[in-house]
Amino acid sequence: MNTVTPSPLVFIYDRNATRSSAILDLRLSGCVNYADRHGWQIAGLWVDRGDNALSRTRPQFSALVESMRVQAGRRATICLVHHWYRLAHDEAQRRALQQRVARAHGCTATTFGDSDEQAPAVLADFGRGSG
């Protein structure tokens, strides 16, 4: 019996601390196009703005992770960002956010073809208390 594996479900994330959204719109469009080219279904777009884009709490990112957690048992889930810096410039903070995605049984990828897909178990166990 042939079972068709559903395409991954993609959760697009970005952050924007400035009032202008022109560059943000280009990045989001790039993410949508990247997902389309790979045949991935888009669950939605989450954007932290203003002070939330710079904080550690990131309300929209938290909502994304919770939505991802609900879907993770049904199919592969991907948090897609334009570039790793869209999570955070600081590597420790970026890793902490990637760990949150991994603990929700997803992976994080960029439109440049980078992915932590091979490392979610390692990420989930690393720094357990930071999520």
Side-chain angles (χ1 to χ4, degrees), residues 54-121:
L54 304 174
S55 75
R56 293 199 179 271
T57 56
R58 305 271 182 91
Q60 288 298 304
F61 186 81
S62 293
L64 176 150
V65 170
E66 192 51 42
S67 295
M68 181 179 271
R69 186 181 321 280
V70 170
Q71 294 296 324
R74 300 181 182 127
R75 65 203 294 186
T77 54
I78 301 169
C79 173
L80 181 63
V81 293
H82 176 67
H83 186 276
W84 290 128
Y85 286 164
R86 300 325 309 149
L87 288 175
H89 287 275
D90 176 75
E91 187 174 343
Q93 186 178 6
R94 184 171 64 247
R95 283 279 188 207
L97 294 169
Q98 287 176 272
Q99 289 162 11
R100 290 177 62 189
V101 169
R103 284 195 298 271
H105 305 288
C107 72
T108 308
T110 74
T111 60
F112 290 86
D114 300 315
S115 174
D116 61 18
E117 182 177 18
Q118 300 303 315

Side-chain angles (χ1 to χ4, degrees), residues 14 22 34 38 51 78 81 100 113 123-124:
D14 208 322
Y34 186 85
H38 284 81
D51 291 342
I78 301 169
V81 293
R100 290 177 62 189
L123 284 170

Side-chain angles (χ1 to χ4, degrees), residues 14 16 18-30 49:
D14 208 322
N16 190 45
T18 65
R19 289 185 184 185
S20 172
S21 66
I23 301 297
L24 169 68
D25 293 342
L26 288 173
R27 289 192 307 258
L28 292 173
S29 178
R49 297 177 186 275

